[in-house]
Amino acid sequence: MTTFSRRAFLGTVALGLAGCSSDNPLVLPTDPLVSRTESTRGGTGRTRAVTLTATRSQVDLGGPVVDTWTYDGALPGKELRVSAGDLVEARLVNRLPTDTSIHWHGLALRNDMDGAPPVTQAATEPEEEFTYRFVAPTPGTYWFHPHTGTQLDRGLYAPFIVEDPVEPGRYDAEWVVVLDDWLDGTGTNPDEALAGLRRRGGHSMRGMSGLGGDVAHAHHLINGRIAASPVTFAAKPGRRVRIRFINAAADTAYRVALGGHRMTVTHTDGFPVAPMDTGALVIGMGERYDVLVTLADGAFPLVALAEGKNATARAVVRTASGSVSDARPAELDGRVVTYDQLEATEPLDVRKPDVVHRMALTGGMMSYEWGINGRAGDMTPARVRSGQRVRLEFANTTMMWHPMHLHGHTFQLDGPRKDTVIVLPGQTVACEFDADNPGQWMVHCHNAYHAEAGMMAVLGYEESR
Ligand code: C2O
Ligand code: CU
């Protein structure tokens, strides 16, 4: 069981403090420093207002009709698109039978709007509402989802695109491709799936990359559709298209390829990299990749292979009439791009870290208890101070892989910049960033079941004195 209560706002953080009264006070989300930090960043002066109603709905996956929870009945939820510097005013109305929240995945926004109960706010109760108000800081491909229980594995997710006001725009069209594993309303739901894992332990499935999952999802979706009735993306041959891939799954890494095409990777988790050519990409939960593709003449399968699960999600890319081949694109069996082949074009400067936090990823499938440094859902923060260069080391001591995600910051890997990073069994990955966004920030595995079973921690700013 996770050791924190979702209703108690900051209660546990304060408790974590009580034990060691000699420590400096924490910079809580309510600290005036949080809004002051945002106001120093400037903005466009434009406001983008939207209402997001989290509600029970029935959704057609392209054949199977399922009862689930969505934002406003849409799957994925309607894309939210703003320019960097815009003030976002997103009103969450909770029509679910339980508490909820919205987290803006990947954004270095102000801490009190991060949507991570109980650390940054109290969860929004049924029939209540909460308005998120923040300046969208940096351009890129992001998304949003609840940060409450296993709700990420329902239909509550949508793309959040922050456009670059000075985008070089060397493409003719842009497509957003959202990947998801689906089980809700297929005779089970995410809460039952988690209860089952806790009762019986998991049996992990593995693919050729060593990646796999714990739950056998009934369907795999691209933009809300099963492979048998795919969405079609249409354009003229020869056009250059920017594809923004978002993995919104709870428990599945996808290997993606566009049959008959090479892709040029341009961004990792919103941040630019030197263009890198590849046939296929592996995308862990929470990760995003932007690629450029020059379209050939014909109809082509855009395939996302569920790693270790012997299942696929599919879409169609069409520039001419004719049928699309059912065969598995050869690109899927070629080389996939790896982090160390990618190079951020705006890298963090090289500096000696002021503070190093080692986070051992712990736990196992049998007990289905996961943790960080042996503790499940421990809200005692790993401390940093504004201005420090921080090094986080994720050391995976488990037999499973974990896509580790840090809120409120984009870190530098050896190569690209990211906010979510795959850590393989036995591997240690170092992430460096500047502590420039004061507050209390979650660090966790983006496997929704691992996170809920305890693989969650807090990185907390303390006052410098
Ligand atoms: Cu995408 Cu803590 O989340
Ligand atoms: Cu995990």
Side-chain angles (χ1 to χ4, degrees):
M1 287 290 284
T2 40
T3 53
F4 52 89
S5 132
R6 295 187 175 279
R7 286 245 164 106
F9 172 43
L10 295 176
T12 355
V13 171
L15 261 184
L17 246 188
C20 24
S21 48
S22 64
D23 283 335
N24 285 351
L26 296 172
V27 179
L28 298 180
T30 46
D31 196 298
L33 186 56
V34 166
S35 60
R36 230 185 302 136
T37 303
E38 179 181 70
S39 57
T40 60
R41 292 183 187 140
T44 59
R46 257 195 319 263
T47 301
R48 291 293 319 274
V50 63
T51 296
L52 298 162
T53 306
T55 179
R56 296 191 223 214
S57 19
Q58 208 170 57
V59 173
D60 182 355
L61 305 177
V65 175
V66 291
D67 289 314
T68 185
W69 300 349
T70 64
Y71 295 117
D72 304 290
L75 184 76
K78 188 169 179 297
E79 167 188 302
L80 183 52
R81 190 175 276 262
V82 305
S83 271
D86 286 358
L87 175 69
V88 178
E89 238 175 49
R91 177 170 157 250
L92 164 66
V93 179
N94 185 5
R95 300 258 181 266
L96 300 175
T98 185
D99 293 2
T100 192
S101 54
I102 296 182
H103 168 59
W104 311 89
H105 181 117
L107 286 179
L109 47 47
R110 52 187 290 168
N111 185 237
D112 54 345
M113 295 294 132
D114 192 46
V119 172
T120 63
Q121 66 170 107
T124 303
E125 293 182 30
E127 300 310 322
E128 298 205 336
E129 47 179 89
F130 182 88
T131 299
Y132 293 88
R133 202 173 275 110
F134 59 88
V135 174
T138 40
T141 303
Y142 304 96
W143 61 299
F144 59 88
H145 61 76
H147 222 280
T148 303
T150 58
Q151 289 175 21
L152 173 63
D153 207 9
R154 308 247 183 192
L156 295 161
Y157 60 83
F160 184 47
I161 309 300
V162 183
E163 290 186 334
D164 190 343
V166 293
E167 171 65 49
R170 293 190 201 93
Y171 46 87
D172 307 305
E174 190 186 310
W175 301 335
V176 179
V177 172
V178 188
L179 309 166
D180 189 25
D181 50 10
W182 192 272
L183 58 77
D184 201 23
T186 62
T188 183
N189 67 44
D191 293 329
E192 286 174 15
L194 179 62
L197 288 167
R198 284 189 160 138
R199 233 177 7 251
R200 296 184 300 269
H203 50 93
S204 147
M205 301 159 262
R206 288 287 173 82
M208 53 182 174
S209 56
L211 304 181
D214 303 352
V215 179
H217 283 78
H219 304 295
H220 294 274
L221 312 178
I222 288 182
N223 292 3
R225 310 286 290 190
I226 58 169
S229 55
V231 290
T232 297
F233 295 98
K236 296 217 170 79
R239 288 289 151 91
R240 248 157 98 80
V241 177
R242 177 181 190 164
I243 306 180
R244 300 178 186 257
F245 288 107
I246 301 172
N247 186 348
D251 177 62
T252 309
Y254 291 97
R255 176 178 302 240
V256 299
L258 173 58
H261 291 78
R262 305 282 296 173
M263 304 183 284
T264 305
V265 180
T266 61
H267 296 74
T268 55
D269 295 354
F271 280 65
V273 290
M276 176 72 201
D277 182 75
T278 188
L281 272 176
V282 169
I283 313 179
M285 295 84 86
E287 290 192 293
R288 290 92 61 215
Y289 282 92
D290 294 16
V291 304
L292 286 177
V293 172
T294 303
L295 297 174
D297 197 346
F300 308 94
L302 174 64
V303 175
L305 183 73
E307 286 285 306
K309 294 188 170 183
N310 193 26
T312 50
R314 214 158 166 278
V316 172
V317 168
R318 180 177 291 289
T319 65
S321 56
S323 60
V324 55
S325 143
D326 270 344
R328 169 188 169 121
E331 288 82 0
L332 281 177
D333 299 306
R335 283 182 55 122
V336 298
V337 72
T338 51
Y339 294 149
D340 59 353
Q341 293 176 299
L342 297 167
E343 204 59 56
T345 53
E346 293 155 23
L348 208 61
D349 59 323
V350 179
R351 215 174 105 190
K352 194 173 158 305
D354 300 301
V355 56
V356 179
H357 285 294
R358 190 178 170 80
M359 296 192 172
L361 313 179
T362 51
M365 295 295 289
M366 286 320 294
S367 59
Y368 217 76
E369 272 180 16
W370 301 98
I372 292 184
N373 295 332
R375 296 184 295 272
D378 186 356
M379 296 291 111
T380 311
R383 286 163 174 268
V384 301
R385 287 186 196 162
S386 282
Q388 285 181 325
R389 170 62 57 88
V390 183
R391 182 180 167 98
L392 272 187
E393 292 177 359
F394 295 117
N396 188 353
T397 70
T398 77
M399 307 288 281
M400 256 303 274
W401 70 284
H402 306 283
M404 296 304 297
H405 173 50
L406 168 65
H407 288 203
H409 303 77
T410 295
F411 46 74
Q412 178 74 55
L413 293 180
D414 202 359
R417 297 187 67 171
K418 300 196 88 286
D419 53 64
T420 310
V421 60
I422 290 175
V423 189
L424 296 173
Q427 195 185 28
T428 295
V429 172
C431 312
E432 296 197 357
F433 59 94
D434 285 328
D436 58 4
N437 199 12
Q440 304 297 309
W441 302 101
M442 309 291 302
V443 183
H444 63 90
C445 177
H446 222 283
N447 180 307
Y449 296 95
H450 294 186
E452 196 49 21
M455 197 174 279
M456 262 201 201
V458 176
L459 180 104
Y461 283 63
E462 61 177 25
E463 283 173 20
S464 347
R465 2 166 250 224

